[in-house]
mmCIF file of all heavy atoms in Angstrom:
data_model
loop_
_atom_site.group_PDB
_atom_site.id
_atom_site.type_symbol
_atom_site.label_atom_id
_atom_site.label_comp_id
_atom_site.label_asym_id
_atom_site.label_seq_id
_atom_site.Cartn_x
_atom_site.Cartn_y
_atom_site.Cartn_z
ATOM 1 N N ALA A 251 1.542 -2.882 18.043
ATOM 2 C CA ALA A 251 1.596 -4.341 17.876
ATOM 3 C C ALA A 251 0.221 -4.973 18.042
ATOM 4 O O ALA A 251 -0.133 -5.896 17.300
ATOM 5 C CB ALA A 251 2.602 -4.950 18.853
ATOM 6 N N ASP A 252 -0.560 -4.484 18.992
ATOM 7 C CA ASP A 252 -1.922 -5.007 19.181
ATOM 8 C C ASP A 252 -2.804 -4.710 17.965
ATOM 9 O O ASP A 252 -3.580 -5.562 17.522
ATOM 10 C CB ASP A 252 -2.573 -4.410 20.431
ATOM 11 C CG ASP A 252 -1.960 -4.926 21.721
ATOM 12 O OD1 ASP A 252 -1.254 -5.961 21.687
ATOM 13 O OD2 ASP A 252 -2.180 -4.279 22.761
ATOM 14 N N HIS A 253 -2.688 -3.507 17.419
ATOM 15 C CA HIS A 253 -3.492 -3.137 16.247
ATOM 16 C C HIS A 253 -3.101 -3.981 15.034
ATOM 17 O O HIS A 253 -3.970 -4.447 14.286
ATOM 18 C CB HIS A 253 -3.338 -1.657 15.933
ATOM 19 C CG HIS A 253 -3.832 -0.744 17.016
ATOM 20 N ND1 HIS A 253 -5.066 -0.888 17.606
ATOM 21 C CD2 HIS A 253 -3.261 0.321 17.614
ATOM 22 C CE1 HIS A 253 -5.233 0.052 18.522
ATOM 23 N NE2 HIS A 253 -4.143 0.800 18.542
ATOM 24 N N ILE A 254 -1.800 -4.175 14.840
ATOM 25 C CA ILE A 254 -1.343 -4.999 13.712
ATOM 26 C C ILE A 254 -1.811 -6.443 13.897
ATOM 27 O O ILE A 254 -2.254 -7.083 12.938
ATOM 28 C CB ILE A 254 0.184 -4.907 13.536
ATOM 29 C CG1 ILE A 254 0.553 -3.510 13.017
ATOM 30 C CG2 ILE A 254 0.688 -5.980 12.584
ATOM 31 C CD1 ILE A 254 2.039 -3.255 12.896
ATOM 32 N N ALA A 255 -1.748 -6.949 15.121
ATOM 33 C CA ALA A 255 -2.222 -8.318 15.387
ATOM 34 C C ALA A 255 -3.707 -8.448 15.040
ATOM 35 O O ALA A 255 -4.130 -9.462 14.478
ATOM 36 C CB ALA A 255 -1.966 -8.692 16.838
ATOM 37 N N THR A 256 -4.493 -7.426 15.358
ATOM 38 C CA THR A 256 -5.917 -7.450 15.024
ATOM 39 C C THR A 256 -6.106 -7.463 13.514
ATOM 40 O O THR A 256 -6.952 -8.209 12.992
ATOM 41 C CB THR A 256 -6.644 -6.235 15.645
ATOM 42 O OG1 THR A 256 -6.469 -6.276 17.062
ATOM 43 C CG2 THR A 256 -8.123 -6.246 15.311
ATOM 44 N N MET A 257 -5.310 -6.665 12.796
ATOM 45 C CA MET A 257 -5.382 -6.675 11.332
ATOM 46 C C MET A 257 -5.061 -8.068 10.798
ATOM 47 O O MET A 257 -5.734 -8.568 9.904
ATOM 48 C CB MET A 257 -4.409 -5.659 10.731
ATOM 49 C CG MET A 257 -4.821 -4.219 10.911
ATOM 50 S SD MET A 257 -3.573 -3.061 10.306
ATOM 51 C CE MET A 257 -3.557 -3.443 8.554
ATOM 52 N N GLN A 258 -4.050 -8.686 11.349
ATOM 53 C CA GLN A 258 -3.657 -10.026 10.909
ATOM 54 C C GLN A 258 -4.763 -11.036 11.219
ATOM 55 O O GLN A 258 -5.056 -11.906 10.398
ATOM 56 C CB GLN A 258 -2.357 -10.462 11.576
ATOM 57 C CG GLN A 258 -1.143 -9.648 11.188
ATOM 58 C CD GLN A 258 -0.759 -9.810 9.734
ATOM 59 O OE1 GLN A 258 -0.728 -8.864 8.981
ATOM 60 N NE2 GLN A 258 -0.465 -11.005 9.319
ATOM 61 N N ASP A 259 -5.372 -10.936 12.405
ATOM 62 C CA ASP A 259 -6.459 -11.845 12.774
ATOM 63 C C ASP A 259 -7.642 -11.722 11.818
ATOM 64 O O ASP A 259 -8.318 -12.712 11.522
ATOM 65 C CB ASP A 259 -6.944 -11.572 14.205
ATOM 66 C CG ASP A 259 -5.934 -11.995 15.259
ATOM 67 O OD1 ASP A 259 -4.991 -12.744 14.924
ATOM 68 O OD2 ASP A 259 -6.086 -11.562 16.422
ATOM 69 N N ARG A 260 -7.895 -10.523 11.338
ATOM 70 C CA ARG A 260 -9.019 -10.292 10.421
ATOM 71 C C ARG A 260 -8.661 -10.601 8.968
ATOM 72 O O ARG A 260 -9.495 -10.442 8.090
ATOM 73 C CB ARG A 260 -9.490 -8.839 10.539
ATOM 74 C CG ARG A 260 -10.096 -8.546 11.893
ATOM 75 C CD ARG A 260 -10.571 -7.122 11.975
ATOM 76 N NE ARG A 260 -11.107 -6.840 13.297
ATOM 77 C CZ ARG A 260 -11.455 -5.641 13.716
ATOM 78 N NH1 ARG A 260 -11.349 -4.595 12.909
ATOM 79 N NH2 ARG A 260 -11.917 -5.468 14.927
ATOM 80 N N GLU A 261 -7.409 -10.990 8.749
ATOM 81 C CA GLU A 261 -6.924 -11.360 7.413
ATOM 82 C C GLU A 261 -7.232 -10.278 6.390
ATOM 83 O O GLU A 261 -7.767 -10.534 5.316
ATOM 84 C CB GLU A 261 -7.499 -12.712 6.996
ATOM 85 C CG GLU A 261 -7.084 -13.828 7.926
ATOM 86 C CD GLU A 261 -7.684 -15.177 7.567
ATOM 87 O OE1 GLU A 261 -8.577 -15.246 6.698
ATOM 88 O OE2 GLU A 261 -7.244 -16.167 8.160
ATOM 89 N N LEU A 262 -6.837 -9.048 6.716
ATOM 90 C CA LEU A 262 -7.079 -7.919 5.831
ATOM 91 C C LEU A 262 -6.085 -7.858 4.680
ATOM 92 O O LEU A 262 -6.329 -7.188 3.685
ATOM 93 C CB LEU A 262 -7.045 -6.611 6.631
ATOM 94 C CG LEU A 262 -8.103 -6.499 7.728
ATOM 95 C CD1 LEU A 262 -7.902 -5.239 8.547
ATOM 96 C CD2 LEU A 262 -9.500 -6.518 7.118
ATOM 97 N N THR A 263 -4.957 -8.528 4.829
ATOM 98 C CA THR A 263 -3.939 -8.571 3.781
ATOM 99 C C THR A 263 -3.338 -9.971 3.750
ATOM 100 O O THR A 263 -3.533 -10.769 4.666
ATOM 101 C CB THR A 263 -2.799 -7.570 4.050
ATOM 102 O OG1 THR A 263 -2.145 -7.922 5.256
ATOM 103 C CG2 THR A 263 -3.316 -6.152 4.131
ATOM 104 N N LEU A 264 -2.593 -10.258 2.702
ATOM 105 C CA LEU A 264 -1.865 -11.525 2.631
ATOM 106 C C LEU A 264 -0.493 -11.399 3.267
ATOM 107 O O LEU A 264 0.014 -12.345 3.855
ATOM 108 C CB LEU A 264 -1.711 -11.964 1.169
ATOM 109 C CG LEU A 264 -2.999 -12.177 0.391
ATOM 110 C CD1 LEU A 264 -2.693 -12.550 -1.050
ATOM 111 C CD2 LEU A 264 -3.865 -13.238 1.045
ATOM 112 N N VAL A 265 0.112 -10.233 3.125
ATOM 113 C CA VAL A 265 1.439 -10.012 3.684
ATOM 114 C C VAL A 265 1.342 -9.988 5.212
ATOM 115 O O VAL A 265 0.351 -9.539 5.779
ATOM 116 C CB VAL A 265 2.054 -8.697 3.145
ATOM 117 C CG1 VAL A 265 1.302 -7.480 3.640
ATOM 118 C CG2 VAL A 265 3.523 -8.588 3.480
ATOM 119 N N ASP A 266 2.370 -10.498 5.862
ATOM 120 C CA ASP A 266 2.453 -10.418 7.318
ATOM 121 C C ASP A 266 2.896 -8.994 7.651
ATOM 122 O O ASP A 266 4.064 -8.642 7.477
ATOM 123 C CB ASP A 266 3.444 -11.453 7.849
ATOM 124 C CG ASP A 266 3.503 -11.485 9.353
ATOM 125 O OD1 ASP A 266 3.536 -10.402 9.984
ATOM 126 O OD2 ASP A 266 3.544 -12.586 9.913
ATOM 127 N N VAL A 267 1.968 -8.170 8.095
ATOM 128 C CA VAL A 267 2.234 -6.750 8.316
ATOM 129 C C VAL A 267 3.304 -6.559 9.388
ATOM 130 O O VAL A 267 4.163 -5.680 9.262
ATOM 131 C CB VAL A 267 0.938 -5.996 8.687
ATOM 132 C CG1 VAL A 267 1.222 -4.522 8.930
ATOM 133 C CG2 VAL A 267 -0.102 -6.160 7.593
ATOM 134 N N ASP A 268 3.290 -7.379 10.422
ATOM 135 C CA ASP A 268 4.284 -7.255 11.483
ATOM 136 C C ASP A 268 5.692 -7.521 10.938
ATOM 137 O O ASP A 268 6.625 -6.771 11.220
ATOM 138 C CB ASP A 268 3.949 -8.217 12.622
ATOM 139 C CG ASP A 268 4.566 -7.813 13.940
ATOM 140 O OD1 ASP A 268 4.692 -6.607 14.204
ATOM 141 O OD2 ASP A 268 4.936 -8.718 14.711
ATOM 142 N N ASP A 269 5.845 -8.572 10.150
ATOM 143 C CA ASP A 269 7.153 -8.874 9.541
ATOM 144 C C ASP A 269 7.568 -7.771 8.576
ATOM 145 O O ASP A 269 8.731 -7.363 8.532
ATOM 146 C CB ASP A 269 7.127 -10.219 8.813
ATOM 147 C CG ASP A 269 7.139 -11.391 9.762
ATOM 148 O OD1 ASP A 269 7.420 -11.219 10.970
ATOM 149 O OD2 ASP A 269 6.856 -12.513 9.284
ATOM 150 N N LEU A 270 6.617 -7.284 7.770
ATOM 151 C CA LEU A 270 6.916 -6.212 6.824
ATOM 152 C C LEU A 270 7.359 -4.960 7.572
ATOM 153 O O LEU A 270 8.330 -4.311 7.194
ATOM 154 C CB LEU A 270 5.690 -5.916 5.959
ATOM 155 C CG LEU A 270 5.853 -4.842 4.889
ATOM 156 C CD1 LEU A 270 6.915 -5.244 3.869
ATOM 157 C CD2 LEU A 270 4.515 -4.560 4.202
ATOM 158 N N TYR A 271 6.656 -4.633 8.651
ATOM 159 C CA TYR A 271 7.028 -3.474 9.469
ATOM 160 C C TYR A 271 8.463 -3.637 9.980
ATOM 161 O O TYR A 271 9.275 -2.723 9.851
ATOM 162 C CB TYR A 271 6.052 -3.337 10.641
ATOM 163 C CG TYR A 271 6.363 -2.151 11.528
ATOM 164 C CD1 TYR A 271 5.683 -0.939 11.350
ATOM 165 C CD2 TYR A 271 7.327 -2.227 12.528
ATOM 166 C CE1 TYR A 271 5.972 0.151 12.159
ATOM 167 C CE2 TYR A 271 7.612 -1.135 13.324
ATOM 168 C CZ TYR A 271 6.939 0.054 13.134
ATOM 169 O OH TYR A 271 7.238 1.141 13.920
ATOM 170 N N ASP A 272 8.759 -4.805 10.551
ATOM 171 C CA ASP A 272 10.114 -5.039 11.091
ATOM 172 C C ASP A 272 11.183 -4.945 10.008
ATOM 173 O O ASP A 272 12.289 -4.469 10.265
ATOM 174 C CB ASP A 272 10.195 -6.398 11.769
ATOM 175 C CG ASP A 272 9.416 -6.450 13.076
ATOM 176 O OD1 ASP A 272 9.073 -5.375 13.625
ATOM 177 O OD2 ASP A 272 9.123 -7.571 13.542
ATOM 178 N N ARG A 273 10.856 -5.378 8.815
ATOM 179 C CA ARG A 273 11.835 -5.366 7.726
ATOM 180 C C ARG A 273 12.045 -3.956 7.177
ATOM 181 O O ARG A 273 13.159 -3.595 6.829
ATOM 182 C CB ARG A 273 11.383 -6.292 6.604
ATOM 183 C CG ARG A 273 12.425 -6.501 5.532
ATOM 184 C CD ARG A 273 12.086 -7.646 4.605
ATOM 185 N NE ARG A 273 10.815 -7.542 3.945
ATOM 186 C CZ ARG A 273 10.600 -6.794 2.846
ATOM 187 N NH1 ARG A 273 11.569 -6.105 2.316
ATOM 188 N NH2 ARG A 273 9.411 -6.782 2.283
#
Side-chain angles (χ1 to χ4, degrees):
D252 289 344
H253 297 311
I254 290 176
T256 301
M257 288 175 64
Q258 294 294 120
D259 289 345
R260 293 181 182 172
E261 299 178 350
L262 299 174
T263 63
L264 300 178
V265 67
D266 184 316
V267 179
D268 202 34
D269 286 347
L270 182 62
Y271 181 97
D272 289 343
R273 189 167 57 81

